[in-house]
Amino acid sequence: MKTCLRILWLVSGILLIACGVYVLLHPAQTLMSIASLLGLAALFSGAFSLATYFTQKEELFGAKGILLDGILDVILGVLLIVYPTSSLIANLFLGLMSLWVISKGAMAIYHAVLAKKFDRQWYILLIIGILLVLFGVLALIKPIITMVAISVILGVFLISDGIEILGHWWMIQKFRKNLGL
């Protein structure tokens, strides 16, 4: 392995651990950053849903649901992009995300019911929809716990990924040393 690549691996592991620690120590700032990224994702998702509705509404089952989903996604996306650090959006972020998750779950349930007529695995979509609705309601009822949980999960993931990368880096160093490289 080239020296440059080994150094990049080491730096990558250290940076992931540092980011994980930062996320754990600063959950509010983390969520505001995530809000901007989710705003873009919601905007693209909404634009795709709207384009799908307006170009294929005669061919789609549940077309009105796709239209509603697209409108909600675009509204959420615009709010999160235009006001990512606004105190109003910061306070409403989890509520908006909770409602978004609930609406996604409701759409999954709706589509599962429609798919029941022709798909034997319709219940998988139903289970996913129910879980999304339950998670959204829980997040709406307990927003602070949800915010902390998101930050903790993200922080732990980043730290564990960084440790894994450092472990690989360390093993390669030992392997190279044993080979006399």
Side-chain angles (χ1 to χ4, degrees), residues 2-175:
K2 296 189 179 213
T3 303
C4 180
L5 187 55
R6 286 194 319 266
I7 292 170
L8 286 176
W9 231 11
L10 175 65
V11 170
S12 173
I14 292 169
L15 286 175
L16 282 169
I17 292 170
C19 287
V21 170
Y22 179 84
V23 165
L24 288 174
L25 296 176
H26 304 285
Q29 290 87 345
T30 299
L31 284 179
M32 283 194 278
S33 298
I34 291 171
S36 296
L37 292 173
L38 286 177
L40 284 173
L43 189 61
F44 286 126
S45 174
F48 179 76
S49 291
L50 291 174
T52 301
Y53 173 79
F54 286 114
T55 59
Q56 300 176 1
K57 63 183 164 191
E58 292 83 21
E59 303 165 23
L60 296 172
F61 68 91
K64 289 181 183 174
I66 292 172
L67 174 64
L68 177 62
D69 189 47
I71 292 169
L72 291 174
D73 282 358
V74 167
I75 291 169
L76 178 65
V78 168
L79 285 173
L80 291 174
I81 290 168
V82 173
Y83 304 108
T85 58
S86 160
S87 62
L88 174 64
I89 295 300
N91 291 329
L92 294 176
F93 173 69
L94 285 172
L96 290 171
M97 293 310 300
S98 300
L99 293 174
W100 189 41
V101 170
I102 290 168
S103 74
K104 293 290 189 183
M107 291 309 307
I109 292 168
Y110 175 69
H111 287 130
V113 170
L114 293 175
K116 184 178 180 180
K117 298 173 186 169
F118 59 87
D119 188 355
R120 281 194 268 185
Q121 277 84 31
W122 65 274
Y123 63 90
I124 294 171
L125 191 55
L126 179 67
I127 292 169
I128 290 169
I130 291 169
L131 290 173
L132 284 172
V133 168
L134 291 174
F135 178 74
V137 169
L138 178 64
L140 199 56
I141 294 170
K142 301 285 188 184
I144 300 300
I145 292 172
T146 304
M147 180 179 79
V148 171
I150 290 169
S151 294
V152 168
I153 291 167
L154 182 59
V156 168
F157 168 75
L158 291 170
I159 291 169
S160 63
D161 198 31
I163 291 170
E164 179 188 6
I165 288 172
L166 289 179
H168 286 293
W169 175 83
W170 181 257
M171 287 188 299
I172 287 176
Q173 299 308 311
K174 290 176 80 173
F175 180 73

